[in-house]
Each structure stands twice: as structure tokens, then as C-alpha cells.
């Protein structure tokens, strides 16, 4: 995949507007209640950082690292915990922040992990993108930004073989 072959799917402006819209919904929902956000590294980092800057309640940021993709573009379906050390989440409002829900295996793994290990006040899932058409596990994000079809996308945190995370926009290529 080369930068010259990339086609823009969402511009920087579209992404920033969507982030503000999602933050507004989250602010309305939690009001002034404390929120623990869990950013799923590495893909969700740009989205999580922009999202939390628009949240108005007291926020703590946690980070975990998982992987289900190798260097290709097809989800393995096997979620692998690289670093999942978390603080005590009992009685907390927890919001998991992801870049994209594809098959849903990662989201399900995480929600099960949190709900099996903690008795949270609430556990919700926010994803910038939702590839509903590829869903294999039974999970729907509580919040999502854009629904996309079955394209492999890069940019704004999302990578191909480690590259393109730094793009301010989200793009795809027909030549993978
Ligand atoms: P799932 O477990 O839902 O199949 O996959 C979730 C993870 O796969 C995401 O967190 C993301 O890292 C990766 N992923 C899924 N679709 C895409 C895509 O179109 N582009 C990139 N770069 N990563 C993807």
C-alpha cells in the first residue's frame, strides 16, 4: 500500500466534527460523573486524544494494548493481549475507546474481560468506525462515528504494517 494510491474517505474536518459530536453525546450522558476512558492502543490513540479533549466531566485516561491483526489486512479473529494492566474499575463509569469495530472479536474480548474482572458502574464502548458488514461476534458499540463498508482503511491512528497512523485523514486503497 502506497500513499499515492490512497483515496480519502473522511477528511480532517469531517473527523474533527464527528469527534465533537460524539463528545457532546457523551457529555450529555454522563453529565458531571467521573469517567475512566480506556484507549485501545495503538490504533485508537488519535481518536481518544481528540475525544477526551472535548469531554467536560472529570476524566482519567487508561491505555491497553491488544492485537488481532498481523501485518496483513484480514482479522485473525484471535485477540491477543499485549498489555492489559488496568487500575481498579469497580464502581467506575468505564468507556472503551476503539478505532474500528470489524469482526467485533476485539470489542467482545475487552467487554468480557472488564465485566469478568470488575463490577463497574457502567461499561460502554465507543468506536470511531463501525464495519457492521464484517461482524462475526455479537456486539454493537454504544457510540460510533461512521459506518463504513468492507474496506481496509488507514490514517488517523489506523495503520498498514505500522505506517500511515500519522495521517490527519482516513483513507483506503484499492491496491492492497
Ligand atoms: P475486530 O476484532 O473487530 O475484527 O478488529 C478490530 C481491530 O482490527 C481494530 O482495533 C483495528 O486495529 C483492526 N482493524 C480492523 N479493520 C481495520 C481496517 O480497516 N484498517 C486497519 N488499519 N485496522 C483495522
Amino acid at each position: 500500500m502506497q500513499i499515492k494510491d490512497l483515496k480519502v474517505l473522511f477528511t480532517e474536518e469531517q473527523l474533527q466534527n464527528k469527534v465533537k459530536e460524539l463528545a457532546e453525546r457523551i457529555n450529555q450522558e454522563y453529565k458531571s460523573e467521573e469517567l475512566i476512558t480506556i484507549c485501545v492502543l495503538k490504533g485508537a490513540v488519535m481518536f481518544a486524544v481528540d475525544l477526551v479533549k472535548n469531554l467536560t466531566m472529570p476524566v482519567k485516561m487508561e491505555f491497553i494494548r491488544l492485537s488481532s491483526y498481523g501485518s496483513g489486512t484480514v482479522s485473525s479473529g484471535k485477540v491477543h493481549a499485549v498489555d492489559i494492566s488496568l487500575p481498579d474499575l469497580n464502581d467506575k463509569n468505564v468507556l472503551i475507546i476503539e478505532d474500528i469495530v470489524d469482526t467485533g472479536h476485539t470489542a467482545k474480548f475487552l467487554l468480557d474481560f472488564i465485566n469478568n474482572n470488575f463490577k463497574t458502574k457502567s461499561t460502554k464502548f465507543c468506536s470511531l468506525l463501525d464495519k457492521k458488514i464484517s461482524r462475526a461476534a455479537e456486539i454493537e458499540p454504544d457510540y460510533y462515528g461512521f459506518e463504513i463498508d468492507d474496506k481496509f482503511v488507514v490514517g488517523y491512528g489506523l495503520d498498514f504494517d505500522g505506517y500511515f497512523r500519522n495521517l490527519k485523514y482516513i483513507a483506503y486503497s484499492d491496491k492492497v
Side-chain angles (χ1 to χ4, degrees), residues 9 69 73-75 99-104 127-136 139-141 144 146-153 158:
L9 192 58
Y69 273 65
T73 59
V74 180
S75 177
D99 48 3
I100 186 165
V101 180
D102 182 14
T103 62
S127 181
L128 177 62
L129 304 177
D130 191 352
K131 250 191 235 179
K132 288 192 191 296
I133 199 161
S134 311
R135 200 71 95 253
I139 139 100
E140 287 304 322
Y144 69 90
F146 299 101
E147 182 174 343
I148 63 168
D149 45 67
D150 195 14
K151 287 187 172 68
F152 187 81
V153 292
L158 290 143

Side-chain angles (χ1 to χ4, degrees), residues 30-149:
Y30 294 91
K31 311 266 192 248
S32 56
E33 282 191 41
E34 183 178 299
L35 185 61
I36 313 284
T37 61
I38 301 179
C39 166
V40 186
L41 294 172
K42 302 174 187 173
V45 70
M46 306 292 185
F47 174 47
V49 165
D50 285 343
L51 187 74
V52 297
K53 283 192 269 188
N54 288 282
L55 296 179
T56 48
M57 71 289 284
V59 167
K60 282 188 178 176
M61 291 182 83
E62 297 295 334
F63 298 85
I64 56 170
R65 200 161 158 212
L66 300 175
S67 72
S68 69
Y69 273 65
S71 62
T73 59
V74 180
S75 177
S76 65
K78 289 197 187 87
V79 183
H80 166 66
V82 181
D83 177 3
I84 202 162
S85 46
L86 287 168
D88 181 4
L89 300 175
N90 290 312
D91 300 320
K92 305 288 187 194
N93 289 312
V94 174
L95 182 68
I96 302 167
I97 306 179
E98 248 295 35
D99 48 3
I100 186 165
V101 180
D102 182 14
T103 62
H105 290 305
T106 307
K108 186 161 188 336
F109 172 88
L110 265 173
L111 285 163
D112 287 350
F113 179 86
I114 288 173
N115 291 327
N116 290 337
N117 285 281
F118 304 100
K119 219 171 165 12
T120 64
K121 187 168 183 194
S122 65
T123 312
K124 295 210 169 181
F125 202 97
C126 176
S127 181
L128 177 62
L129 304 177
D130 191 352
K131 250 191 235 179
K132 288 192 191 296
I133 199 161
S134 311
R135 200 71 95 253
E138 258 183 53
I139 139 100
E140 287 304 322
D142 299 282
Y143 308 94
Y144 69 90
F146 299 101
E147 182 174 343
I148 63 168
D149 45 67

